[in-house]
Amino acid sequence: MTVRSEGRLYTVGEAAKRLSITDRRVRSLIQSGELQAVHAAPRVMLITEESLIRLALREKRAGRPYSSETAMGALYLLSGESIGWLSARKRYEIRRLLRETGADAFVRNIRHRADVHEYWANALFLDRLSSSDDICRSGGCEGMAEYFELAPSELVEGYVEESDLPILKSRYMLKELAEPKRVRFHVVRGCPIRGRRVMPIAVCAADLADSIDPRERNAGMGRLAALLRDFQGGTT
């Protein structure tokens, strides 16, 4: 296949950095046709600059993304959980945003909820991490997959505090440059995750909604849409 581009071509990692999204989200946008790409070599995709510009302009028209604090607060509130760690002003702002936002716009607006880091780990350390209390699980993890009517994900995915990241990378011998990626950390600051085994339901749904797998994406989007309808209908 030949890609004609007047601009340069970007790797998945370069495109993710330019758009301030994850590599996984870039691949999802390629699959959906929102980004134009070509397989330049086995397991290597290049994205045209024109399609990056078009997407960036479309996202800009859709509005600025929420801050991490706002996004996480909104997801906790949608899950029926307290957001008492936030100021009264911030809680009011989040309730107003949730009353006015549809599911598609909401998913776009919460894309900066956490910094995403992906790693390779050997089987021994992967098993230890999976069964540990060092992360707060999310997405299609074993504890939530049945709720979303999905098979448990082979990926170990969860949320960690920014201050804990260097410790976990060392403890489980996580490698950023090795493939395949088997661990995904969503890194947050100031969000109450300590002591939890699993993230609130809306957070799990949001992470699934970012998946490149159609079943996971549809399950996440469907649950977020239902939670928003309940909130806007005054049933939460």
Side-chain angles (χ1 to χ4, degrees):
M1 176 181 177
T2 300
V3 171
R4 299 185 182 278
S5 174
E6 296 180 1
R8 62 167 287 195
L9 297 173
Y10 289 75
T11 66
V12 170
E14 290 170 337
K17 184 175 292 187
R18 175 162 176 169
L19 295 171
S20 298
I21 58 178
T22 66
D23 290 7
R24 180 175 63 156
R25 180 61 178 156
V26 170
R27 293 188 182 96
S28 177
L29 291 167
I30 292 170
Q31 187 177 62
S32 68
E34 295 179 79
L35 287 176
Q36 182 185 11
V38 64
H39 286 276
R43 303 180 68 180
V44 176
M45 288 184 291
L46 296 177
I47 299 107
T48 66
E49 186 170 37
E50 291 91 341
S51 67
L52 286 172
I53 293 171
R54 284 196 301 270
L55 181 65
L57 290 172
R58 188 163 66 248
E59 294 288 334
K60 185 176 181 180
R61 288 195 296 270
R64 294 179 59 187
Y66 303 156
S67 67
S68 174
E69 180 184 58
T70 299
M72 293 304 293
L75 290 167
Y76 270 63
L77 189 59
L78 275 185
S79 304
E81 301 209 12
S82 169
I83 54 173
W85 81 90
L86 299 174
S87 69
R89 180 176 180 179
K90 177 61 70 173
R91 295 196 299 269
Y92 174 83
E93 175 192 351
I94 288 171
R95 289 187 173 90
R96 178 183 59 79
L97 290 171
L98 289 176
R99 286 194 295 268
E100 299 172 353
T101 308
D104 289 338
F106 182 69
V107 169
R108 288 196 302 270
N109 291 341
I110 60 173
R111 63 187 182 272
H112 290 175
R113 60 189 175 276
D115 295 328
V116 179
H117 299 254
E118 296 183 329
Y119 305 95
W120 172 90
N122 71 34
L124 175 62
F125 284 109
L126 192 69
D127 286 343
R128 290 179 181 176
L129 176 61
S130 180
S131 60
S132 78
D133 293 326
D134 286 336
I135 63 172
C136 187
R137 289 152 187 77
S138 187
C141 65
E142 187 171 351
M144 295 302 299
E146 185 176 353
Y147 177 87
F148 288 100
E149 299 182 345
L150 297 168
S153 173
E154 295 182 1
L155 184 76
V156 176
E157 180 173 12
Y159 281 69
V160 302
E161 288 278 0
E162 183 180 46
S163 58
D164 293 337
L165 184 60
I167 299 170
L168 297 179
K169 287 170 64 176
S170 175
R171 180 177 297 166
Y172 296 102
M173 302 291 289
L174 304 178
K175 307 297 183 184
E176 291 185 85
L177 300 181
E179 296 287 345
K181 304 302 186 189
R182 308 173 77 180
V183 176
R184 180 179 296 126
F185 287 159
H186 301 263
V187 182
V188 293
R189 297 166 291 277
C191 181
I193 63 173
R194 293 194 187 278
R196 301 185 67 109
R197 290 278 298 174
V198 178
M199 289 299 284
I201 186 64
V203 180
C204 294
D207 293 334
L208 286 171
D210 283 340
S211 175
I212 62 173
D213 180 274
R215 288 197 63 204
E216 291 184 351
R217 186 168 61 249
N218 290 338
M221 286 295 300
R223 177 49 52 188
L224 284 176
L227 290 170
L228 277 168
R229 286 195 301 270
D230 288 346
F231 184 88
Q232 292 166 355
T235 59
T236 60

